[in-house]
Amino acid sequence: LGSMPVDVSQYLARRFSMDNTGYCNESSTSDEDMVEIAGATLDFSNTEDVPPLDRDKCMEEVNGVPKLMDLLDDPVPGVGTYEDFNTIDWVREKSKDRDRHREITSKSKESTWALVKSVSDAFSGWLLMLLIGLMSGALAGGIDISAHWMTDLKEGVCLNGFWFNHEHCCWTSNETTFQERDKCPQWKSWAELIIGTTEGPFAYITNYLMYVCWALLFAFLAVTLVRAFAPYACGSGIPEIKTILSGFIIRGYLGKWTLIIKTITLVLAVSSGLSLGKEGPLVHVACCCGNILCHLFTKYRKNEAKRREVLSAAAAVGVSVAFGAPIGGVLFSLEEVSYYFPLKTLWRSFFAALVAAFTLRSINPFGNSRLVLFYVEFHTPWHLLELVPFVLLGIFGGIWGAFFIRANIAWCRRRKTTWLGHYPVLEVLVVTAITAVVAFPNSYTRTSTSELISELFNDCGLLDSSKLCNYDNANVTKSSNELPDRPAGDDVYTAMWQLSLALVFKMLITVVTFGMKVPSGLFIPSMAVGAIAGRLLGIGMEQLAYYHHDWAIFRGWCSPGADCITPGLYAMVGAAACLGGVTRMTVSLVVIMFELTGGLEYIVPLMAAAMTSKWVAHIRLNGYPFLEAKEEFSHKTLAMDVMRPRRSDPPLSVLTQDGMTVEDVETMITETTYSGFPVVVSHESQRLVGFVLRRDLTISIDNARQRQDGIVSTSRIFFTEYTPPQPPSSPPPLKLRGIMDLSPFTVTDHTAMDIVVDIFRKLGLRQCLITHNGRLLGIITKKDILKHVAQIANRDPDSILFN
């Protein structure tokens, strides 16, 4: 989850419209198409997500006389496409795809080649899913390997090969002892390389300084690359992905430069030691792969609705490679991010997630034959009475989610109104320096967050050398690796103090880290907070059961010497609770945690924690035009209460089907900022005929002036099927019936707003016309719906739309 670049907010607030912003000519790049974001120039005329319009002039003559342009027969390039920061017309896109499919099906019976093309068209979706899975899995594997190596680079280097991380460097060493399994002659710390010793205060200071310097270097490279080449690469990207999947267009957000820079800077940001994760941004990376690969197939390149089906599957792929959870990825896409998710997309998402997981497993980035770093297996069943502490962890997760969201919103608003917003590079360096300086002395914050979670999830055995597993083993038989409850040693109490400090540090530093101008995911930091709290509670319960096994709550299921409490399980439940508290996931969260840890019999504790901690989504911070499908609309208002124009507003701007000239239409376009105009029979009757988009109207008139001789400002525009005879002296008319939507969605003025909201959600409408006995009264746009919902919830309506 991430924030938009701060410097662009005012520009977007002016230019952005989902339903009532003007269009600009795409044939040239004006000053308004250029905006500077944190020192980087971003060109909004670039069309990485939408193919460029072909504006080559073409003249068609019949017997030497220019033919009257009829867009129904001769489509104009650019008509039917969308401007940046506008929503797509789902109904029109689905209709276009149905027409295309009917045409292919009908032609397939005419020849063998047409049949082959039909089969190829049907197979293209599966081929695209295969390519997305392979590309995303390969990128995720490279990111995991690179991040692990660069994280260890802050502490030392391998003499056998600098490209080996600490663990791989010591794999083949014969001089590694069991107690010091992470030490080998081939791996040298920076103190050992620089001053020749690993002991003493000078060695500690040397390692400390090198750790901070490497962290600052990685963070500086990350923020500089984002700022210079791809401002959209910052943050996690999930709120933007949800908004794009709902039909919104953010051109360049899923482009090739964003993919390249996000992949590189994600490794740098994670390696810097900042309190962020790579799991959320991997969803953005996978969606970039999906969008880029869509351009290989005409069916998906030319249809925005079809492309969003692919992006829904790509979101599932992102979670699959992030957590090694293909089933959880599909459920995440279905539950959290997707706006339109038909059954066909469900199967293709599953296939793509499977291919991605298989690709990542083949790369084996962690060297443990697992898809994730912290795969664990617990051997002790949980007891029904343990649901009480599990629910307590769920409450903690909900409180943490509420605290984080409120604190981060306040911090992001402060960032936008203070010097922090003007100096993003300095902000990143300051936060990185504070993080590195505070984190190094504590071994639980010095290590990477993924390795910390792995240690906290671990079920202690006889072979574990972690301080968390340093119990008194006097009564343990050596024949089994299963340990009964036993008293904690000094190292365990020391570890608990360190973990308590790490918990406070992680909670505070995550608030200020999230939202900076580097790729940043929230999944892993949230899981770390929950895992620390869960492990502390688990150790407390374990010691309570050992010293007070005769209490009523333990009697009957926890006898002396038995293995009753599993602290690692509490860490896992706490991680799920805090992740659910921040992201509001439920079903997909439980499945992800199950796949993540292999804890099949612990689904009930995970469900209890997830349901307890569920909270509100983070997407409102950015103010994206996203109509949340999970929110209930219970207020008794009617369409006439929300529609525009209001009683004090000027009349609705409409076009007449045969009574306007080119000059009249161009004047209306210039004087208004609406994204479309209803077409009526006449101003007197106001009988509705259709609806025309502003962009289509502008492009059509522009092309008509170039392609058709005699089109001048006094030429009449007709939206009728047949053009009536014109006086000989009049200029040739312009027939634009082909660009008109003959079946715009309409409701009556007495339709309940809860029905209207439901229609907008399920059909993905941009606007809905309000009629009374066939006469046009007004219009409701998606923006009106969002503002109305915000007013009902006592929120500022102007906080929506990039404010």
Side-chain angles (χ1 to χ4, degrees):
L1 307 177
S3 299
M4 284 292 296
V6 175
D7 299 47
V8 77
S9 59
Q10 293 182 351
Y11 171 80
L12 296 181
R14 183 178 71 253
R15 172 185 164 119
F16 159 82
S17 169
M18 162 197 54
D19 290 293
N20 56 355
T21 298
Y23 293 90
C24 58
N25 193 331
E26 288 191 4
S27 61
S28 64
T29 302
S30 64
D31 291 338
E32 192 176 349
D33 285 322
M34 306 292 290
V35 62
E36 187 170 309
I37 301 181
T41 300
L42 179 63
D43 187 356
F44 279 110
S45 66
N46 179 25
T47 54
E48 285 186 293
D49 291 333
V50 181
L53 305 180
D54 182 11
R55 290 189 174 275
D56 293 338
K57 295 181 181 180
C58 54
M59 287 291 292
E60 185 177 351
E61 296 188 357
V62 180
N63 297 327
V65 179
K67 179 183 175 183
L68 178 67
M69 185 181 70
D70 185 350
L71 293 176
L72 194 61
D73 304 320
D74 185 15
V76 174
V79 172
T81 59
Y82 304 95
E83 182 60 274
D84 202 11
F85 300 113
N86 273 242
T87 49
I88 69 170
D89 189 331
W90 284 89
V91 176
R92 181 172 68 175
E93 294 298 310
K94 293 173 188 175
S95 178
K96 280 168 53 179
D97 185 64
R98 283 195 298 268
D99 293 342
R100 181 197 61 80
H101 189 264
R102 287 194 198 100
E103 183 180 358
I104 292 176
T105 304
S106 62
K107 287 184 177 179
S108 64
K109 303 175 183 178
E110 298 176 0
S111 65
T112 305
W113 176 242
L115 180 61
V116 171
K117 290 181 66 177
S118 175
V119 174
S120 173
D121 179 79
F123 182 71
S124 62
W126 293 99
L127 177 60
L128 180 57
M129 294 299 114
L130 176 67
L131 295 176
I132 293 173
L134 292 173
M135 185 174 179
S136 302
L139 284 176
I143 289 172
D144 287 333
I145 293 172
S146 303
H148 201 175
W149 169 67
M150 293 179 69
T151 300
D152 288 348
L153 193 62
K154 293 185 298 183
E155 299 184 2
V157 67
C158 185
L159 298 183
N160 287 352
F162 72 91
W163 55 88
F164 288 126
N165 62 37
H166 195 166
E167 183 180 6
H168 291 175
C169 185
C170 295
W171 265 1
T172 57
S173 176
N174 295 324
E175 302 176 47
T176 303
T177 64
F178 176 74
Q179 293 298 329
E180 297 182 339
R181 64 184 70 181
D182 59 339
K183 293 184 179 180
C184 61
Q186 292 82 4
W187 178 265
K188 299 291 185 183
S189 67
W190 291 112
E192 196 171 358
L193 289 173
I194 295 173
I195 63 176
T197 180
T198 59
E199 304 295 334
F202 290 108
Y204 183 85
I205 293 173
T206 301
N207 287 329
Y208 203 153
L209 290 176
M210 290 300 296
Y211 182 91
V212 175
C213 290
W214 278 110
L216 288 172
L217 175 62
F218 293 154
F220 176 75
L221 290 175
V223 69
T224 303
L225 289 172
V226 168
R227 181 173 176 263
F229 296 103
Y232 281 157
C234 68
S236 106
I238 291 181
E240 291 84 355
I241 296 299
K242 291 180 71 172
T243 308
I244 289 172
L245 288 178
S246 73
F248 196 60
I249 289 179
I250 309 178
R251 204 166 283 168
Y253 195 83
L254 301 177
K256 56 183 179 295
W257 270 112
T258 303
L259 173 63
I260 294 170
I261 298 303
K262 186 133 194 174
T263 302
I264 297 172
T265 56
L266 182 55
V267 175
L268 292 167
V270 171
S271 304
S272 68
L274 288 168
S275 184
L276 48 83
K278 61 182 182 296
E279 282 65 22
L282 278 175
V283 176
H284 188 187
V285 168
C287 287
C288 286
C289 295
N291 180 70
I292 292 169
L293 292 171
C294 274
H295 287 77
L296 301 176
F297 302 88
T298 306
K299 176 168 69 172
Y300 297 101
R301 184 176 68 248
K302 293 187 175 182
N303 192 292
E304 293 290 343
K306 295 293 291 181
R307 192 185 309 189
R308 275 152 180 77
E309 293 181 23
V310 175
L311 295 180
S312 292
V317 169
V319 175
S320 174
V321 296
F323 293 104
I327 300 175
V330 175
L331 289 176
F332 173 81
S333 180
L334 174 61
E335 179 185 5
E336 288 300 319
V337 299
S338 293
Y339 190 85
Y340 175 63
F341 203 83
L343 185 62
K344 176 175 59 179
T345 303
L346 177 69
W347 288 113
R348 290 180 176 176
S349 299
F350 183 77
F351 172 70
L354 183 66
V355 171
F358 176 78
T359 304
L360 186 63
R361 170 64 180 82
S362 302
I363 296 173
N364 193 16
F366 303 110
N368 58 2
S369 300
R370 302 291 185 185
L371 291 175
V372 289
L373 183 61
F374 30 89
Y375 184 93
V376 295
E377 289 181 317
F378 301 122
H379 305 286
T380 305
W382 60 279
H383 193 269
L384 187 63
L385 291 176
E386 288 186 279
L387 280 179
V388 176
F390 293 154
V391 169
L392 290 177
L393 285 174
I395 295 173
F396 172 79
I399 295 174
W400 153 247
F403 164 76
F404 171 80
I405 292 174
R406 291 179 182 273
N408 188 248
I409 287 176
W411 181 258
C412 287
R413 286 174 178 164
R414 185 173 182 81
R415 178 186 288 127
K416 291 182 180 182
T417 57
T418 61
W419 64 271
L420 289 173
H422 301 290
Y423 301 100
V425 176
L426 182 59
E427 180 195 9
V428 170
L429 292 179
V430 169
V431 174
T432 303
I434 294 173
T435 303
V437 168
V438 177
F440 185 83
N442 189 336
S443 60
Y444 292 109
T445 52
R446 183 194 315 168
T447 185
S448 70
T449 311
S450 296
E451 291 177 347
L452 170 62
I453 296 174
S454 178
E455 184 172 353
L456 294 172
F457 281 8
N458 182 42
D459 187 15
C460 288
L462 283 172
L463 301 180
D464 285 302
S465 60
S466 169
K467 286 194 295 185
L468 287 171
C469 298
N470 189 14
Y471 291 88
D472 181 4
N473 296 326
N475 299 325
V476 179
T477 59
K478 302 297 183 181
S479 59
S480 173
N481 191 41
E482 294 186 6
L483 297 176
D485 291 337
R486 59 235 189 264
D490 292 339
D491 281 352
V492 175
Y493 289 113
T494 302
M496 291 182 69
W497 277 110
Q498 290 179 325
L499 283 176
S500 300
L501 294 174
L503 176 63
V504 176
F505 171 69
K506 286 284 185 183
M507 292 176 69
L508 296 177
I509 203 67
T510 303
V511 170
V512 299
T513 302
F514 189 68
M516 295 194 306
K517 297 300 174 285
V518 292
S520 55
L522 193 56
F523 287 0
I524 288 298
S526 298
M527 289 178 63
V529 169
I532 294 173
R535 186 78 186 203
L536 292 173
L537 180 61
I539 294 175
M541 287 291 295
E542 183 186 47
Q543 296 304 300
L544 195 65
Y546 176 80
Y547 288 107
H548 303 282
H549 58 267
D550 55 340
W551 283 10
I553 58 173
F554 298 116
R555 192 183 305 128
W557 67 278
C558 190
S559 56
D563 187 10
C564 306
I565 307 295
T566 306
L569 170 61
Y570 284 72
M572 184 177 76
V573 173
C578 285
L579 184 56
V582 173
T583 63
R584 203 184 59 163
M585 293 189 297
T586 49
V587 178
S588 56
L589 171 64
V590 172
V591 175
I592 287 172
M593 293 301 297
F594 151 60
E595 293 185 272
L596 193 65
T597 59
L600 177 61
E601 59 184 294
Y602 302 105
I603 286 182
V604 173
L606 291 172
M607 291 173 65
M611 286 302 298
T612 307
S613 67
K614 182 175 180 179
W615 208 74
V616 69
H618 190 64
I619 198 168
R620 286 179 184 162
L621 169 63
N622 295 325
Y624 290 122
F626 185 78
L627 197 55
E628 179 60 65
K630 300 173 184 176
E631 293 183 0
E632 294 292 333
F633 187 91
S634 57
H635 293 263
K636 296 181 179 179
T637 52
L638 301 178
M640 67 170 69
D641 301 322
V642 182
M643 74 176 188
R644 289 178 298 136
R646 308 290 171 83
R647 293 179 180 178
S648 58
D649 294 341
L652 192 67
S653 297
V654 297
L655 302 172
T656 57
Q657 65 177 354
D658 58 2
M660 302 185 73
T661 64
V662 170
E663 183 180 15
D664 296 334
V665 174
E666 289 179 333
T667 300
M668 180 178 293
I669 292 173
T670 303
E671 294 178 350
T672 63
T673 58
Y674 306 129
S675 64
F677 303 96
V679 180
V680 296
V681 174
S682 65
H683 287 291
E684 292 75 22
S685 71
Q686 291 287 311
R687 297 288 177 180
L688 183 63
V689 177
F691 190 86
V692 177
L693 291 178
R694 178 196 191 96
R695 176 181 176 83
D696 293 352
L697 200 58
T698 304
I699 293 176
S700 300
I701 294 176
D702 181 40
N703 276 267
R705 289 186 181 276
Q706 300 177 21
R707 299 169 58 185
Q708 185 177 343
D709 288 340
I711 295 296
V712 294
S713 297
T714 56
S715 298
R716 294 183 64 186
I717 294 180
F718 288 93
F719 293 98
T720 54
E721 188 171 0
Y722 300 103
T723 305
Q726 301 296 309
S729 58
S730 63
L734 181 58
K735 185 177 178 183
L736 298 182
R737 182 180 175 84
I739 66 170
M740 182 173 64
D741 181 5
L742 295 172
S743 57
F745 203 93
T746 62
V747 296
T748 67
D749 51 338
H750 283 82
T751 304
M753 272 307 297
D754 57 337
I755 301 296
V756 176
V757 171
D758 222 23
I759 291 171
F760 268 82
R761 285 171 177 163
K762 293 181 178 178
L763 295 182
L765 298 182
R766 304 178 75 190
Q767 68 278 317
C768 178
L769 301 177
I770 312 301
T771 62
H772 180 77
N773 293 335
R775 291 183 68 252
L776 179 66
L777 292 184
I779 186 171
I780 294 179
T781 65
K782 192 175 181 182
K783 181 177 179 181
D784 298 324
I785 297 281
L786 289 163
K787 286 194 171 187
H788 183 64
V789 172
Q791 286 175 333
I792 289 175
N794 293 320
R795 300 197 311 270
D796 180 13
D798 293 328
S799 65
I800 303 171
L801 316 179
F802 294 102
N803 185 6

